[in-house]
Amino acid sequence: VDTTAPTPGTLSLVDTDGVTNDGVVFNATPNFTVTGATDAAYTGIGAPTAGVASVQLQVADGATGTSFANKGTLVTSATGGVFTVVSDALGSGQYVARAVVTDRAGNTAMTATSSFIVDLGPPTVTVSYPTAGLAVNTATPTFAAHAADAGTGVASVNFEVAPSGVSPAFVSACSGTKATGTTADGSWWCAPTTSIGADGDYLVRAIATDVAGNAATATFVAFTVDTVPPVAPTIVRSEEH
């Protein structure tokens, strides 16, 4: 006779997207692990973990969701004492997860809840400086872009440059810094610390990444580097006859 509930263990989101372990993923079917789930009443082979018969993931909508529903397949085996449960497809939004642990006798226990965010939408980004066709007089020009993300927010904006051509080979130029202040909301800028190259025509693009790890690349903008001053005019004196 076994009427004692199992020890449910700890439910953890497998979060390797974007910023690791921030509770935000861009995977529509996030993975979770349950560690430490055991059944003290079971003394057979593989005890006490083998006393756990199944683990079922449950998910509720909202930041403080209370209406839980089963999501994903019932898991009946562990690897190295760890149960891995995978959610059914979710849309972008905030969720709360928990796992129901059942022992061989049918007793159940629930893990503590774990809040997480699914962000499936990439940010938007456009290059704002230089403007198309602009000529700059430095090989370390300032670059700027505007980036926004309706989900979890923009985490970074990086700028890449390439000599103008049919198949441009972009390389990293600099990592943007977010401008502060209400009027600068969404603006990122930086300037390369080394020359981007000799005088000539170039392309610049910006790559924005949100907190979840979704990335978007802006359409490139063409500009010219011209560091050579014009030839000074020669003044010719006109003589009267």
Side-chain angles (χ1 to χ4, degrees), residues 179-223:
T180 57
T182 303
T183 58
D185 184 44
S187 295
W188 296 72
W189 68 275
C190 68
T193 56
T194 58
S195 170
I196 64 171
D199 284 12
D201 295 330
Y202 289 87
L203 307 173
V204 60
R205 67 184 184 184
I207 300 173
T209 305
D210 66 17
V211 174
N214 300 299
T217 302
T219 301
F220 62 72
V221 170
F223 69 101

Side-chain angles (χ1 to χ4, degrees), residues 13 22-24 32 62-64 95-97 113-117:
L13 174 69
D22 64 348
V24 180
F32 296 81
T64 58
Y95 297 92
V96 179
T113 58
S114 176
S115 298
F116 67 102
I117 296 173

Side-chain angles (χ1 to χ4, degrees), residues 137 199 226-234:
N137 63 355
D199 284 12
D226 179 5
T227 62
V228 179
V231 177
T234 300

Side-chain angles (χ1 to χ4, degrees), residues 80-211:
V82 178
F83 294 87
T84 299
V85 288
V86 182
S87 174
D88 293 330
L90 302 172
S92 292
Q94 293 182 299
Y95 297 92
V96 179
R98 69 185 183 189
V100 179
V101 177
T102 304
D103 67 15
R104 289 170 178 259
N107 302 301
T108 62
M110 289 183 295
T111 66
T113 58
S114 176
S115 298
F116 67 102
I117 296 173
V118 175
D119 180 0
L120 304 178
T124 59
V125 58
T126 55
V127 175
S128 55
Y129 189 87
T131 54
L134 182 70
V136 297
N137 63 355
T138 175
T140 56
T142 296
F143 299 122
H146 187 275
D149 183 71
T152 52
V154 177
S156 66
V157 175
N158 295 309
F159 294 86
E160 296 182 338
V161 295
S164 183
V166 176
S167 300
F170 285 93
V171 296
S172 178
C174 53
S175 297
T177 297
K178 187 176 182 180
T180 57
T182 303
T183 58
D185 184 44
S187 295
W188 296 72
W189 68 275
C190 68
T193 56
T194 58
S195 170
I196 64 171
D199 284 12
D201 295 330
Y202 289 87
L203 307 173
V204 60
R205 67 184 184 184
I207 300 173
T209 305
D210 66 17
V211 174

